[in-house]
Amino acid sequence: MLVDGGLAAVLLGVVSYARFGGDWYTHWLPFLRQPLGFVLLYAAGWVAILWLHGLYRPRARWTVWGEGLALVRATAVMALFTLAVLFALRLPDISRSYLLILFPAQWGVALGTRIALRLAFMQLRARGFNLRYVLVIGAGPRGQSFAAKLEDHKELGLRVRGFLDDLPSDLPNGWEYLGTLDRIEHFLHEEVIDEVAICLPFAQWEQMNAVAHLCEEEGKIVRIPVDVLDRAFAYGRVEELDGTPVYSMITGPDRIAAFIVKRLFDVVVAGLALIVLSPIFLVIALWVSAKEGPPILFRQTRVGLHGRKFDVLKFRTMALDAEERYEALVGDSDPRAFKLTDDPRITGTGGFLRRTSLDELPQLWNVLKGEMSLVGPRPAPPREVEAYDLWHRRRLSMKPGITGLWQVTARRSEVFDDRASLDLNYIDRWSLWLDMKILARTIPAAFEGR
């Protein structure tokens, strides 16, 4: 806050000097009886607007892009606020060019400063300065996963002191098992513990509740990873009903307007693409027919939104007996992620069509019919869906797509859990802007044969 406010005040003077020259201070006297008071008001207003936009809250997921967008919104509000003050003070003769320089410069200075400060703090914390120590309650997979994430983000300044659990577990990476849950008071009283992360299974709700109340009385920060409700649940939000906190898991209904826009976008783009790409469709159809013979299109039942089944369309890339040979080829491999690098069923034309993703083009018709979307989790055959774990089935909570997040980030990953996690990440973070970014990354990936 001090840096933002101080630099905002300095920036007013710097831009004034750049715009009006060495006598910039006297330039303002006919307009502002107390230029210094206006500078202080401007600096305080800038800090207040940044605070209202949440730009002073600690965030684990910090990106330059996200910070830049947040500062754009804050700068726009600041511009409106400043113009309103100037209008209220009846100062219409303020230089327009001055304001056009000031606000973009304000954005650039704020973003550059925040990047520099964050990098400096990251370096300090990575070297062991300004640390806070975390006691992890639960030494199982959930606790170890959360501790690993803390270790991966050393810039947060959080260090794992150790683990308490009634069921000891093998702890990698030099982590220390400190004992059973009944020793928590000892560590809270005798050790330097700043925060407590409760990572017990949800079945141990009573122990979670008791630990949380104890830590609250001790004045410790308590962190409970949301996935304590299991990976099968979507991210939700805490609401209140007559004083009772309610964790509400809401997905579709809250975003109905955005989904309507997504559907309109699908219809327009798919319709135009079918028209514009019709010559390519014809060339591929003639090529497949001449080289491999009919049928040109491959139809297969897939599972879509909330279990709706439909026939997906592709240009045929496999031999006619591909389905009959499936059982022999899948063997003991994971049926949910079955892919062969050199699949013997792929035809001569099929290899090229698959590398370039041209075989997927007929699915534009599925998009137009409303069975699919341009972007979403890939639709799976029923035999793969039957093998899903519980948390995998949340992939079906969104309309399947021609392309998706894992297609442009981990297309060749052989681990189905990794793909499913990326799909759920897409569902939880979904926005029209994210769809645009995935589509933009899909096109070069297809041309490059990735």
Side-chain angles (χ1 to χ4, degrees), residues 237-285:
R237 61 171 180 251
V238 176
E239 301 175 307
E240 187 175 297
L241 177 64
D242 287 341
T244 301
V246 180
Y247 184 80
S248 300
M249 295 168 289
I250 303 171
T251 50
D254 268 13
R255 301 183 289 180
I256 187 66
F259 276 127
I260 291 173
V261 177
K262 178 178 172 73
R263 176 61 186 148
L264 291 174
F265 179 78
D266 284 342
V267 170
V268 171
V269 174
L272 289 175
L274 285 169
I275 295 171
V276 173
L277 299 177
S278 55
I280 297 177
F281 276 76
L282 179 60
V283 170
I284 295 174

Side-chain angles (χ1 to χ4, degrees), residues 78-198:
M78 185 64 188
L80 293 173
F81 172 74
T82 304
L83 293 173
V85 171
L86 293 176
F87 179 78
L89 296 177
R90 302 186 180 216
L91 299 172
D93 296 327
I94 297 296
S95 170
R96 306 302 194 269
S97 59
Y98 176 85
L99 297 176
L100 288 174
I101 297 171
L102 176 64
F103 294 118
Q106 186 71 76
W107 175 85
V109 168
L111 181 60
T113 303
R114 286 162 174 273
I115 293 172
L117 284 174
R118 183 168 285 267
L119 289 174
F121 284 127
M122 286 170 60
Q123 289 296 321
L124 286 172
R125 287 168 176 162
R127 293 177 183 177
F129 293 96
N130 194 30
L131 296 181
R132 296 174 62 82
Y133 294 92
V134 181
L135 179 65
V136 181
I137 308 300
R142 182 171 286 120
Q144 294 184 33
S145 174
F146 186 70
K149 291 176 182 178
L150 292 181
E151 295 287 339
D152 288 341
H153 290 278
K154 295 186 184 298
E155 70 276 7
L156 296 177
L158 297 172
R159 294 293 180 269
V160 176
R161 172 61 185 85
F163 296 77
L164 292 180
D165 200 328
D166 289 338
L167 298 174
S169 300
D170 293 330
L171 296 172
N173 304 323
W175 288 331
E176 186 179 357
Y177 173 70
L178 301 174
T180 55
L181 296 180
D182 57 12
R183 299 200 64 203
I184 184 170
E185 285 194 63
H186 165 78
F187 282 96
L188 294 181
H189 295 169
E190 304 297 330
E191 299 272 347
V192 176
I193 302 295
D194 299 290
E195 304 188 10
V196 177
I198 303 177

Side-chain angles (χ1 to χ4, degrees), residues 331-345:
D332 296 328
S333 61
D334 187 349
R336 303 166 303 183
F338 175 66
K339 284 186 182 295
L340 294 177
T341 303
D342 297 309
D343 196 323
R345 300 172 298 169

